Each structure stands twice: as C-alpha cells, then as structure tokens.
Amino acid sequence: MHISSRIVVLLTICLVFLSDASLAQHSTSSSERELFNSINHDRQAHGLPALKWNDALAVAARKHATRMARQKSLSHQFPGEASLPGRAHQAGAHFVSLSENVAEGPDASLIHSQFVKSPKHHANILDTDMNSIGIGVAERNGQLFAVEDFSKSK
C-alpha cells in the first residue's frame, strides 16, 4: 500500500509538470508578440495582408528556438533534428509551403531590424504566398534566439 501511494504521488507530480509545460507552449511571450506585430506592420506598410498566427507553427518554432539557445548557435537544422517541414508536421501544422527566419539578438526590436536589413529574410516576411506564421523565442544569458516559421496553410 505504501509503494502504491508513492506511485500515485509521482504520477500526480508528473501530470502537473506536463500540464504546466503544455500551458507554457501555448502562451505567447512578449518578444514573440513584438515580432509578430512588427512583421504584420511591415507587411501592411508594403500593401500586403497581415499573417495569421498559427499555434502549431509556434510550437515548432519554440522547440527549434530552445534548441538554438541550448546549443548557443543559429541553424535551420541541427544534426539529428527533423527538417523544417518535419518539425512543422510533428507539431501538427498543415501547409503547402514553408520558409523560416532564425536570428539571435538582445531584444525583439533589434532582431526584426536584422531581418529587414537582410534581403533573404525580408523576402520571407514579404512573401505574398505566405498567410500564416508561428514564432518562437528562447532566452539564454540575456540573448534571445528567435525563429519565425512562415507557411501557406492548406
């Protein structure tokens, strides 16, 4: 009886932890919101429609941003990690096409400025084929690691 009560306590702790982790995945950080708003402001300034937020893409972006922060490195794919389409699919995203921006910086404003100054990254932001986005930001030692996953949703 004593062993089974310990198991119940451990299972309860695990469920609480998993519940908190799940909630953390679905709450949007202020940096993610700032990047989302900056992207849509930039698109609207160029006469383009705003992108819609996609929770599944955000989950994929957050996982990748966390991996970049953990490895202190920028990459679109790390050894042993699924490709962008694989990560998006695993997170439950449904898409026709995808693109991705990754960056590191001290704050969301500077990261967005870096994307705008880069022709390839800015092209992703202004891509007329894309209609949704998920953004993930992870922090390590005061540096933000950001991932913007764009998609043309099905």
Side-chain angles (χ1 to χ4, degrees):
M1 198 73 164
H2 185 60
I3 292 174
S4 64
S5 64
R6 283 186 181 174
I7 292 172
V8 169
V9 169
L10 285 173
L11 287 174
T12 303
I13 291 169
C14 288
L15 287 174
V16 168
F17 175 75
L18 290 174
S19 167
D20 288 346
S22 176
L23 288 173
Q25 284 184 342
H26 295 294
S27 67
T28 308
S29 75
S30 61
S31 295
E32 291 167 352
R33 283 190 301 275
E34 184 176 342
L35 287 169
F36 178 70
N37 291 335
S38 295
I39 287 165
N40 279 330
H41 183 266
D42 195 19
R43 286 177 62 86
Q44 289 172 338
H46 285 84
L48 300 173
L51 296 172
K52 296 176 193 146
W53 184 263
N54 183 297
D55 284 329
L57 285 176
V59 167
R62 286 181 190 123
K63 286 181 181 178
H64 188 63
T66 299
R67 188 158 189 176
M68 290 192 319
R70 194 171 48 237
Q71 297 195 5
K72 299 184 226 175
S73 178
L74 295 179
S75 179
H76 289 284
Q77 184 177 12
F78 290 100
E81 182 184 36
S83 64
L84 171 58
R87 294 192 311 266
H89 180 73
Q90 288 169 358
H94 302 283
F95 52 87
V96 175
S97 60
L98 293 167
S99 62
E100 182 176 70
N101 287 345
V102 299
E104 175 186 358
D107 59 54
S109 177
L110 185 58
I111 288 171
H112 184 70
S113 295
Q114 291 172 17
F115 287 145
V116 169
K117 291 175 186 173
S118 163
K120 288 183 180 183
H121 292 101
H122 200 221
N124 285 341
I125 291 170
L126 300 180
D127 189 337
T128 58
D129 287 335
M130 300 301 173
N131 58 19
S132 60
I133 188 169
I135 300 171
V137 176
E139 186 271 335
R140 180 178 181 132
N141 298 330
Q143 282 293 101
L144 300 180
F145 292 80
V147 177
E148 300 173 343
D149 286 344
F150 302 87
S151 80
K152 179 175 183 178
S153 298
K154 284 185 179 179

